[in-house]
Amino acid sequence: MDDLTRRPASELAGLVAAGDVSAVEVAQAHLDRIAAVDPSVHAFLHVDTSGALAAAQAVDDARAAGETLGPLAGVPLAMKDVVVTKGLPTTAGSKILEGWHPPYDATITTRIKNAGIVMVGKTNMDEFAMGSSTENSAYGPTRNPWDLERIPGGSSGGSSAAVAAFEAPLSIGTDTGGSVRQPAAVTGIVGHKPTYGGVSRYGLIAFSSSLDQAGPFGRTVLDTALLHEVIAGHDPCDSTSINAPVPPVVAAAREGGDTVNLSGTRVGVVRELGGEGYQPGVLASFEAAVETLRSLGAEVVEVSCPNFEYALAAYYLIAPSECSSNLARFDGVRYGLRVGDDGVNSLEDVMSLTREAGFGPEVKRRIMIGTYALSSGYYDAYYGQAQKVRTLIARDFAAAFERADVLVSPTSPFVAFGIGERIADPMAMYINDLCTLPASLAGTPAISVPSGLSEGLPVGLQIMAPALVDDRCYRVAAAFEAATAKSGAVLASIPELT
């Protein structure tokens, strides 16, 4: 395999900027890698070969003209297929949008293009981001590069698998209840959920508007921070976008990696995120990670967040309620799939037939749950109560951050499970998000960084910080990454696919 596909994004950008390698060569190496391994992994729904090579050539032309390149210029990136891209297919993993080519770019897409990052394609995902395994895609499951019979996490499993399989050094995912962090954990890479509102949602096909947040994937903490800095920042096109400076995430990642010292940092171990029901290997990896943080000088304390135990129930009322509203726009009239339009059926019949054919089982399940929770006579008992629980979870975070600078937990209670193993049991699937849901409900930032292996499969360490202090996640994660690098990067153990 070409060595270029194994290099970190920051290193690739440096090589391109120095003229040691062309952006076209970097792009072609990754396109060749995709052609070689993606038939097995199925990370991509669409590979934009001509667009990627044209974007790479533009970077080479800019360098030849003496222009200063951005810190990730010429680096390939895989984009989750829930982010709209002008002129390219955007399906959100659903048949109801099959063949749709958006007439505009999402703000994230625009910022990535302006940074000279080379988008190589759109990645597979659970339909409308509803799932934890990427088995709910209408286009078939993505497979974990560590074991092709296992899931790569979800809903951003295509994006995580692309990075873990060395098909792209960077990717974009979205995190509604853990869909960046959980895939990162089970594929052995880094994934960050920014503070809610820290990254624009304009052009992000909505699942749950009060929870959805796009975030970066990388193979190192620094690479992930560099991509975060590109996509973050205020956007007047998004009413929920925070009008505040982007936290200094890159500086924090560099500082943590350089000093490898957490003296003065208080690390809170969340009592409710561990114990019974968690795989022993995951708990062992987490305990070892906590000891590593302690050895770096951190003060480790236990904190209790008693309302975290209600996060799962609250999330699966709030998110379906919002999805039932957001997905009402897919009616077979304005865009996307249309079934039954034969001049005989009524408009209502066309809508019903289109949704029956276009939405998959998990999407239908959540629409029905959400519609019921919002219905007359049940709103206060279900959706209203869930929002009250959300407030209590936010208060738990506030109290915990009075005692600790960051909170830590396993990212997922389990390593990657087998494809098909849980697809018939929604509750067994939903508990994959036990550790990630609280930060999503509170809108606080959280990162997953590889913490080792259990039974030969990756385990992730989750680091959470207060809202708008994303840089603290990166600093602690970078210090942990640097301290554990001496034992070999997790991805060094991944089996070769070819």
Side-chain angles (χ1 to χ4, degrees):
M1 182 180 65
D2 194 310
D3 183 58
L4 289 174
T5 63
R6 293 272 179 173
R7 294 177 186 266
S10 56
E11 185 178 332
L12 283 175
L15 292 172
V16 171
D20 294 331
V21 66
S22 71
V24 169
E25 289 175 305
V26 173
Q28 189 62 61
H30 287 84
L31 290 168
D32 291 345
R33 174 68 176 172
I34 292 169
V37 306
D38 207 58
S40 299
V41 177
H42 190 39
F44 286 88
L45 294 178
H46 176 77
V47 178
D48 185 21
T49 300
S50 60
L53 293 175
Q57 185 62 60
V59 173
D60 289 335
D61 291 345
R63 183 190 172 277
E67 297 180 23
T68 301
L69 301 182
L72 290 175
V75 176
L77 174 140
M79 180 74 81
K80 186 176 181 179
D81 200 33
V82 75
V83 181
V84 303
T85 46
K86 184 177 181 179
L88 293 179
T90 300
T91 69
S94 179
K95 288 291 185 183
I96 209 163
L97 279 176
E98 187 171 27
W100 182 57
H101 290 65
Y104 70 104
D105 276 332
T107 297
I108 295 172
T109 307
T110 299
R111 289 176 175 174
I112 283 169
K113 289 180 177 178
N114 291 343
I117 298 171
V118 177
M119 190 172 67
V120 294
K122 306 295 291 293
T123 56
N124 197 17
M125 56 180 284
D126 285 301
E127 185 179 5
F128 287 102
M130 299 181 197
S132 303
S133 65
T134 316
E135 294 173 281
N136 293 327
S137 170
Y139 305 98
T142 295
R143 297 175 180 272
N144 193 322
W146 288 83
D147 180 345
L148 296 176
E149 297 305 312
R150 294 178 183 267
I151 59 99
S155 63
S156 308
S159 293
S160 65
V163 174
F166 301 100
E167 296 175 289
L170 299 171
S171 67
I172 294 292
T174 61
D175 193 309
T176 304
S179 291
V180 165
R181 290 161 288 159
Q182 184 254 5
V186 301
T187 57
I189 63 174
V190 181
H192 180 73
K193 183 197 82 69
T195 298
Y196 178 79
V199 175
S200 173
R201 293 189 299 111
Y202 178 74
L204 180 68
I205 297 174
F207 161 21
S208 178
S209 299
S210 73
L211 295 163
D212 295 343
Q213 186 64 92
F217 286 109
R219 289 196 289 267
T220 70
V221 174
L222 176 59
D223 285 357
T224 309
L226 287 165
L227 181 55
H228 182 150
E229 195 167 77
V230 168
I231 64 175
H234 178 63
D235 177 17
C237 293
D238 175 5
S239 63
T240 62
S241 176
I242 297 172
N243 191 3
V246 178
V249 294
V250 172
R254 294 190 191 279
E255 178 191 355
D258 289 342
T259 61
V260 199
N261 186 339
L262 295 177
S263 179
T265 301
R266 298 169 300 164
V267 173
V269 176
V270 182
R271 181 187 305 163
E272 287 76 14
L273 298 181
E276 186 177 351
Y278 287 63
Q279 285 183 340
V282 169
L283 291 178
S285 177
F286 175 66
E287 290 166 3
V290 171
E291 288 307 309
T292 296
L293 296 174
R294 197 192 308 271
S295 73
L296 297 178
E299 177 190 352
V300 177
V301 298
E302 183 179 79
V303 298
S304 178
C305 298
N307 293 293
F308 280 18
E309 68 175 290
Y310 307 117
L312 184 69
Y315 174 85
Y316 280 102
L317 284 169
I318 293 170
S321 295
E322 295 182 3
C323 107
S324 74
S325 175
N326 279 322
L327 270 60
R329 71 194 65 179
F330 300 101
D331 54 12
V333 176
R334 286 167 286 188
Y335 41 71
L337 182 70
R338 182 179 300 171
V339 177
D341 185 14
D342 54 8
V344 176
N345 289 306
S346 67
L347 177 61
E348 289 79 8
D349 288 338
V350 171
M351 289 182 180
S352 179
L353 291 168
T354 297
R355 290 165 173 165
E356 170 62 28
F359 289 141
E362 183 62 26
V363 171
K364 292 174 183 174
R365 178 184 294 117
R366 297 198 193 193
I367 289 173
M368 287 188 288
I369 291 171
T371 303
Y372 182 83
L374 292 176
S375 62
S376 177
Y378 297 100
Y379 179 94
D380 290 335
Y382 292 106
Y383 185 75
Q385 287 295 101
Q387 291 288 17
K388 292 176 182 178
V389 170
R390 189 177 193 173
T391 299
L392 294 176
I393 289 170
R395 290 176 181 172
D396 278 354
F397 269 113
F401 285 128
E402 289 180 359
R403 298 190 57 212
D405 299 305
V406 296
L407 306 180
V408 295
S409 75
T411 307
S412 172
F414 317 103
V415 296
F417 50 87
I419 290 175
E421 189 176 305
R422 301 187 181 185
I423 196 70
D425 186 347
M427 281 306 299
M429 188 72 75
Y430 296 166
I431 60 175
N432 291 291
D433 300 329
L434 279 175
C435 299
T436 54
L437 287 172
S440 292
L441 289 166
T444 55
I447 195 169
S448 179
V449 61
S451 63
L453 301 176
S454 173
E455 301 175 6
L457 295 168
V459 177
L461 169 68
Q462 179 177 225
I463 302 164
M464 298 166 276
L468 297 176
V469 195
D470 300 55
D471 50 306
R472 200 176 291 171
C473 292
Y474 282 100
R475 179 175 173 269
V476 175
F480 176 80
E481 177 186 67
T484 56
K486 59 182 179 294
S487 61
V490 167
L491 279 174
S493 304
I494 192 169
E496 183 51 73
L497 293 168
T498 57

